[in-house]
Each structure stands twice: as structure tokens, then as C-alpha cells.
Amino acid sequence: GMGWALLGVGLLLALYTLLRHGLRGAPRPRTRPELRGRTAIVTGGSSGIGAATALELARCGARVILATRSARRGEAAASRIRRETGNNEVLFMHLDLASLRSVRAFARTFLRQEPQLHLLINNAGVSAGGTTEDGFSLPFQVNHLGHFLLTQLLLERLRSCAPSRVVIVASSAHCAGRLRPEALGRPPSGLFSTFQDYCDSKLANVLHARELATREQGTQVTCYAVHPGFVNTSLFRHAPLWLQPLLLPLAWLLFLDAAEGARAVLDCATRDGLEPLSGRYFTHGGPRVPWPAGRDDRLARELWEGSERLVGL
């Protein structure tokens, strides 16, 4: 309905902007950080930005855990990355963020099998869907609540391996987010509910990073929210048929590059000297000021306390 029409207009604008400004500026020369001996988890690591991020971390020598739902896709991605990088320390572990039970099981298994954790990349995301087995809206649980629980369960390990980092893949869509602490996790109603739900979850991502940074001051665990650019592959899967032809050229331009989206994520994960910017919101160009709701410290605290309550911590 109306929400998709709005999205169509937004995507056409994005397309126009991309074409007008050229797809990319001159790529910055990259020096590969040395990550041998470091362990990273990438959620949703079997496709899109997650896979591109995992590939690059593996190239830098990290031990990489692809934490994703589909064993078939996860194993395939892990073996492709091992083959492409010659790094054999890339493995799949099952994680379904739409199930808090699965999040707990993953954390238990990980903590038992893996002595170290230096990088947690909370990348998995969905843009639409119904309700989870835990009774929450799917985008809110996958994009925020499941990741919130995961981060809390792994925090001790991140602290003991510090300096360590948590990178939360957010989005500029947080600009339209509205979080009502008394209705957290309930799907919004109305015409744009699907779109609203997604935006709310992305605002939650920005605020989660902010509050985590505040709470981890002095522990050498730092945290960054990052907008990877318009590379959200999942948005296209749920588009109505009439919108698909419009999306094809756009998809072609955008899917050129999950690697570009991954670059902003990798910068937050590996760039030297970012520690003073813990809790901040980043895009390709470095730290950016998020939209006003994204810097509301009271809302960040209410979201944190509400999330603890909802996941039973």
C-alpha cells in the first residue's frame, strides 16, 4: 500500500542521488589490519554485508564465526570464505535471533567452545515479518532484542579479552523511528506499520550502542553503531510485484556492493584510535550526529531497561 509507494519514491531518490554523485568516490587506500589471534562473531554472516565483512576479517587473519540461521547457507558461506582467503579458521554456528532460546543456546555453545572474543558484529537484520515465538515483532526482535540479549550474554568474555569492540549495524532509517517504552516489541499499527517497525528497530540499534558505551566506560569494551549505506538486500525481498521493476536497476547498482557497505562496518571494527568515539553513530564518512531521537539519553536508558525486562535478564 501507501508504505511501499513511499519506499518506491525514496528508492528513486536514492537512485537519482547515486547516479548524480557517481557510485563511489575514489576508494581510500586500505591497509589491512593484522587480526591474527583475534576472534570475531558476525551475525547474519552468510550473505550481503555480513558475508562481505566476514570475508574481509578472515583475510586479515581473524578467526571468524558466522552466526546465522540457515546451516546450509552458513556452511556454504564459511567454506567459500575459507577457500577465498586460505584462512581455515572460519566456521558456522547456528543462531536464530527470532528465538531467544536459540540466542541463549548459541551463547552457551560459543562460550564453551571458544576461549576468546574480540569483535562482535551485530549485523543480521530483517525488514518485515510477523511475530516471533517469543511474542515480539520480528524486525524488533531480530534487529534489536535478540542482539541485545546476545551482547549481554557475551559481555563478560568481551571484557576479559579487552580491548574489544561491539559493532551494531544500524541505518539512517532510524530518522523515522519512534520508541514507546511501554509498548516495546509490540508491532506498531497503521498504514506504515511494516516500515515503522523497521525504523523503530534501527533507532533501537543507535540507542543500544549509545547506552552500552556509557555502561562500559572504563572496561575497554567499546561500541559503535554504523549505517552501511543503501545496501539493505532484505528490503527488496518483501517489495510488492509492481515495485520490483523499479527496484531492479537500483538493486543492480546497490548489490554491486555489499563490499562497500562492509567497509564502513570494518572501519568501526578495526580502525585504530576510535575508542574515544565509543557509542557514536558512523557512516562511510566517519562519525555523524544521529537524528535527535538517536541521541536521547533518557530514551536510551528506558530502552535498555525495557529490553532487559523483555528478554528476562
Side-chain angles (χ1 to χ4, degrees), residues 151-176:
T151 305
Q152 289 307 97
L153 296 175
L154 298 175
L155 203 48
E156 243 348 284
R157 183 64 49 89
L158 284 161
R159 283 182 193 145
S160 69
C161 295
S164 54
R165 294 183 184 184
V166 178
V167 180
I168 300 174
V169 177
S171 162
S172 57
H174 77 271
C175 67

Side-chain angles (χ1 to χ4, degrees), residues 238-284:
H238 302 287
L241 280 173
W242 65 266
L243 193 51
Q244 306 259 350
L246 281 179
L247 296 180
L248 276 173
L250 189 61
W252 179 78
L253 282 171
L254 297 183
F255 299 159
L256 276 178
D257 244 329
E260 283 295 298
R263 178 179 292 181
V265 177
L266 284 157
D267 275 351
C268 287
T270 61
R271 217 161 80 211
D272 281 337
L274 286 189
E275 288 76 11
L277 299 173
S278 183
R280 298 280 300 277
Y281 170 73
F282 285 73
T283 66
H284 275 293

Side-chain angles (χ1 to χ4, degrees), residues 106-140:
F106 170 88
R108 271 197 309 276
T109 307
F110 177 87
L111 292 170
R112 197 172 58 239
Q113 291 176 9
E114 298 289 330
Q116 305 198 53
L117 179 59
H118 304 92
L119 286 175
L120 173 58
I121 316 264
N122 289 335
N123 156 81
V126 295
S127 60
T131 308
T132 66
E133 65 179 48
D134 302 291
F136 303 115
S137 109
L138 185 73
F140 192 77

Side-chain angles (χ1 to χ4, degrees), residues 3-313:
W4 286 113
L6 199 68
L7 183 62
V9 172
L11 289 170
L12 286 172
L13 278 171
L15 181 58
Y16 170 76
T17 312
L18 278 174
L19 293 172
R20 181 119 194 304
H21 296 291
L23 255 179
R24 318 193 228 303
R28 284 166 304 173
R30 305 292 288 165
T31 51
R32 282 228 162 88
E34 177 47 71
L35 299 178
R36 238 176 292 275
R38 313 220 124 215
T39 299
I41 292 174
V42 182
T43 70
S46 64
S47 63
I49 290 171
T53 302
L55 176 71
E56 199 52 42
L57 291 169
R59 274 203 186 112
C60 297
R63 179 174 178 81
V64 183
I65 313 300
L66 303 184
T68 189
R69 194 182 54 204
S70 159
R72 189 178 49 79
R73 291 213 310 266
E75 295 286 9
S79 75
R80 189 184 74 239
I81 293 171
R82 288 194 298 265
R83 206 169 49 241
E84 266 184 60
T85 60
N87 176 347
N88 282 321
E89 297 189 63
V90 180
L91 51 148
F92 157 78
M93 278 178 67
H94 180 259
L95 168 66
D96 180 3
L97 289 151
S99 158
L100 297 179
R101 206 184 47 220
S102 171
V103 174
R104 290 199 165 85
F106 170 88
R108 271 197 309 276
T109 307
F110 177 87
L111 292 170
R112 197 172 58 239
Q113 291 176 9
E114 298 289 330
Q116 305 198 53
L117 179 59
H118 304 92
L119 286 175
L120 173 58
I121 316 264
N122 289 335
N123 156 81
V126 295
S127 60
T131 308
T132 66
E133 65 179 48
D134 302 291
F136 303 115
S137 109
L138 185 73
F140 192 77
Q141 179 165 334
V142 171
N143 301 354
H144 168 67
L145 269 186
H147 278 128
F148 176 84
L149 176 59
L150 179 68
T151 305
Q152 289 307 97
L153 296 175
L154 298 175
L155 203 48
E156 243 348 284
R157 183 64 49 89
L158 284 161
R159 283 182 193 145
S160 69
C161 295
S164 54
R165 294 183 184 184
V166 178
V167 180
I168 300 174
V169 177
S171 162
S172 57
H174 77 271
C175 67
R178 289 196 307 259
L179 290 173
R180 297 188 316 288
E182 71 287 352
L184 275 188
R186 289 212 294 276
S189 54
L191 206 53
F192 301 107
S193 59
T194 301
F195 190 59
Q196 185 65 52
D197 213 359
Y198 177 74
C199 297
D200 294 354
S201 73
K202 292 291 134 184
L203 173 57
N205 290 155
V206 173
L207 292 172
H208 178 200
R210 196 173 175 91
E211 182 68 11
L212 182 58
T214 302
R215 288 171 185 248
E216 291 305 298
Q217 269 164 354
T219 63
Q220 287 196 292
V221 177
T222 55
C223 179
Y224 312 90
V226 57
H227 165 65
F230 291 97
V231 210
N232 191 336
T233 45
S234 61
L235 277 175
F236 297 96
R237 276 211 300 274
H238 302 287
L241 280 173
W242 65 266
L243 193 51
Q244 306 259 350
L246 281 179
L247 296 180
L248 276 173
L250 189 61
W252 179 78
L253 282 171
L254 297 183
F255 299 159
L256 276 178
D257 244 329
E260 283 295 298
R263 178 179 292 181
V265 177
L266 284 157
D267 275 351
C268 287
T270 61
R271 217 161 80 211
D272 281 337
L274 286 189
E275 288 76 11
L277 299 173
S278 183
R280 298 280 300 277
Y281 170 73
F282 285 73
T283 66
H284 275 293
R288 285 277 173 281
V289 177
W291 291 77
R295 30 178 218 272
D296 179 337
D297 287 319
R298 205 187 79 221
L299 188 57
R301 199 171 55 250
E302 289 176 337
L303 170 70
W304 184 282
E305 288 162 3
S307 300
E308 280 185 327
R309 204 170 54 248
L310 294 181
V311 302
L313 280 177

